[in-house]
Amino acid sequence: MTDEVLESLNEGLLTITLNRPERRNAMSPGLTTRLREAITRAAIDADVRAVLIRGAGGTFSVGGDVQRAVQPKEELTFEALQVDLRCRTEVTKVLHEMPKPVVAMVQGAAAGAGLGLALACDIRIVGENAKITTAFANVGLSGDFATAYYLTKIVGIAKARELCMLSPVLRGREAHELGLMTRVVPDADVEEAATEVATALAHGPTVALGYIKKNINNAEKYEFDAYFDAEIQFQARCAGTADYKEAAAAFLAKRPPTFIGR
């Protein structure tokens, strides 16, 4: 059996490839389990300084495996199904909270859970003709992978209602104009552009980037005083890192800094 998730670590950048090209990287239970395990390991692995998520065969992911749902191997109880869904979709929570930057390379299509996975990443590079859609309503589902959460935060409640209920298919350029994608490039340039951004992050001040991510997450849920206290703690921790000392020395020497992620 082909491994449904591939991992490759190079100079601090972990590339994770969804590897079901024959099913356009539809998310089987095996794929989502392996993906969660890979991201969980990456979050605590000191050798991993940034993550790039991509799909094999020119497609990011078309979302859930509808074929498997039509022909299930077993019927789960309501309670068991909740446990199963939480286990398989928890990867979005890990991505949201992990103290390392994550880039999504969005080629071909990102639909349903595939879109949710992309939105859980910090940076999304998309091809101008990629197809982006929520898709859940089209198959009688309300949505998972925190898709509606991210949509609401990014485009607002009114637009999120439209995208979730009507499931329009957006091209990559339209998705970028709405703010769903960070950068849009010609389809042929997605791999190069996404790898370039992810590599730059992997060579960046890893500790500081992690705290920047925490600041942004804290801004969503904390009142000002709690946010302010945490921000001061994070800044003080960064001031004690080797990367900060290197950046200061590089500034005085008028040269680019060389960060080591510590």
Side-chain angles (χ1 to χ4, degrees):
M1 179 178 176
T2 302
D3 197 336
E4 294 185 337
V5 173
L6 305 177
E7 299 176 60
S8 176
L9 180 62
N10 182 36
E11 295 185 356
L13 176 61
L14 177 67
T15 299
I16 296 177
T17 303
L18 312 182
N19 191 38
R20 295 187 74 208
E22 74 287 353
R23 298 285 300 136
R24 301 182 71 199
N25 302 316
M27 294 191 182
S28 67
L31 185 149
T32 53
T33 298
R34 284 277 292 109
L35 179 60
R36 186 192 74 240
E37 292 170 348
I39 295 296
T40 301
R41 284 194 304 271
I44 60 175
D45 187 344
D47 291 331
V48 176
R49 295 173 59 187
V51 177
L52 175 65
I53 301 179
R54 59 176 297 167
T59 297
F60 187 72
S61 173
V62 293
D65 194 336
V66 178
Q67 179 176 310
R68 184 181 292 268
V70 172
Q71 301 172 326
K73 292 184 178 180
E74 61 178 321
E75 291 288 342
L76 297 177
T77 65
F78 177 68
E79 291 75 13
L81 182 56
Q82 288 185 79
V83 172
D84 179 65
L85 283 169
R86 179 177 292 275
C87 183
R88 291 194 288 111
T89 64
E90 191 178 24
V91 63
T92 56
K93 186 174 187 294
V94 179
L95 285 168
H96 186 73
E97 296 178 349
M98 70 184 293
K100 297 171 184 179
V102 185
V103 177
M105 181 192 301
V106 183
Q107 295 173 296
L115 175 57
L117 178 64
L119 295 177
C121 298
D122 302 301
I123 304 291
R124 293 167 292 280
I125 310 299
V126 68
E128 59 187 356
N129 291 306
K131 295 180 179 179
I132 311 298
T133 183
T134 59
F136 294 113
N138 294 339
V139 292
L141 292 172
S142 57
D144 57 11
F145 277 73
T147 305
Y149 173 88
Y150 291 117
L151 286 174
T152 301
K153 296 293 184 182
I154 295 171
V155 301
I157 292 175
K159 196 65 178 181
R161 291 182 194 275
E162 176 190 343
L163 295 177
C164 290
M165 293 182 176
L166 300 181
S167 297
V169 178
L170 307 176
R171 292 293 181 179
R173 186 165 297 282
E174 294 175 280
H176 174 258
E177 290 171 355
L178 280 179
L180 293 179
M181 299 291 146
T182 308
R183 184 179 303 175
V184 60
V185 298
D187 296 331
D189 298 339
V190 178
E191 181 172 359
E192 180 181 357
T195 302
E196 181 180 350
V197 170
T199 300
L201 290 168
H203 294 168
T206 309
V207 175
L209 292 173
Y211 282 127
I212 287 170
K213 190 167 176 175
K214 285 187 177 182
N215 277 337
I216 294 168
N217 288 345
N218 284 351
E220 290 184 324
K221 58 184 180 180
Y222 288 165
E223 295 298 328
F224 181 80
D225 285 347
Y227 169 84
F228 190 67
D229 289 344
E231 182 185 67
I232 289 173
Q233 292 178 27
F234 300 160
Q235 184 79 331
R237 291 189 181 278
C238 289
T241 62
D243 280 344
Y244 173 70
K245 293 178 175 63
E246 160 62 11
F251 177 80
L252 293 174
K254 297 182 179 180
R255 61 171 175 79
T258 300
F259 296 119
I260 61 173
R262 292 177 176 82

